[in-house]
Amino acid sequence: VEPEDQISKIAVSSGELTHLQTDVSDANALNARLEETFKCHQRLDCLVNNAGFFETSENNNILWNTETTTEQINFMLNTNIGSVVHGTRTAAELMKQCPLEQKNCHKPIINIAGTAAVGPFPMHPVYCSCKGAVLQFTRTAQFHLKADGFHV
């Protein structure tokens, strides 16, 4: 099933859904998109950080070969953990502004880390490190945000 078809089905069953695409490796673009969504709907119901990216070379090596550039490494860091940190921070601030009738909402922030967070993938050390960081960031964010009603 194509993503657009899934979005249409969700929108029909729930009554409303906004799907906006952005480059999550760009913190300013991500924050602007979240703020745009909040401004449009006067609320932000949840955030799902689901981005994941790694590159491989012709021989399936990554980040251990001399062909890997600093830009490639930074893109993986920004996409896989930077987006989670920036997105969570911005979404939490916006969710704190939800209307009074929604002040007791659960404010879910869902961060997808996957199995790479807990075990190594051969030849993918930066990707696995990022996903491990997502797991630890999620635990720490929950500790800091739970007093405000968040579930991370």
Side-chain angles (χ1 to χ4, degrees):
V1 177
E2 293 296 315
E4 293 79 17
D5 295 336
Q6 292 174 342
I7 292 167
S8 296
K9 288 178 184 178
I10 293 169
V12 167
S13 66
S14 68
E16 183 178 350
L17 175 74
T18 301
H19 173 259
L20 301 170
Q21 195 169 345
T22 194
D23 177 0
V24 297
S25 71
D26 179 344
N28 292 328
L30 174 60
N31 293 339
R33 186 62 72 166
L34 288 168
E35 290 167 2
E36 174 187 338
T37 301
F38 183 81
K39 184 177 179 182
C40 178
H41 297 284
Q42 296 302 304
R43 64 189 235 195
L44 189 62
D45 294 329
C46 72
L47 176 68
V48 179
N49 288 307
N50 191 38
F53 176 82
F54 64 84
E55 280 191 71
T56 58
S57 64
E58 289 180 17
N59 59 0
N60 205 32
N61 289 334
I62 185 158
L63 299 180
W64 291 125
N65 70 42
T66 57
E67 298 169 10
T68 306
T69 67
T70 299
E71 290 77 20
Q72 289 171 312
I73 294 169
N74 287 340
F75 184 77
M76 279 198 295
L77 293 169
N78 290 337
T79 300
N80 294 318
I81 183 62
S83 65
V84 174
V85 173
H86 295 295
T88 298
R89 181 184 60 191
T90 300
E93 289 305 312
L94 293 170
M95 287 179 188
K96 288 177 186 178
Q97 300 174 39
C98 71
L100 275 178
E101 65 271 11
Q102 293 185 335
K103 284 293 183 189
N104 293 323
C105 63
H106 294 292
K107 303 176 188 168
I109 297 175
I110 302 165
N111 298 326
I112 308 298
T115 58
V118 294
F121 287 3
M123 303 311 295
H124 299 290
V126 173
Y127 178 77
C128 291
S129 297
C130 289
K131 293 306 180 174
V134 168
L135 183 59
Q136 188 60 24
F137 174 79
T138 300
R139 291 173 177 154
T140 305
Q142 173 61 30
F143 176 79
H144 287 286
L145 293 171
K146 69 182 176 183
D148 291 317
F150 286 88
H151 295 277
V152 184

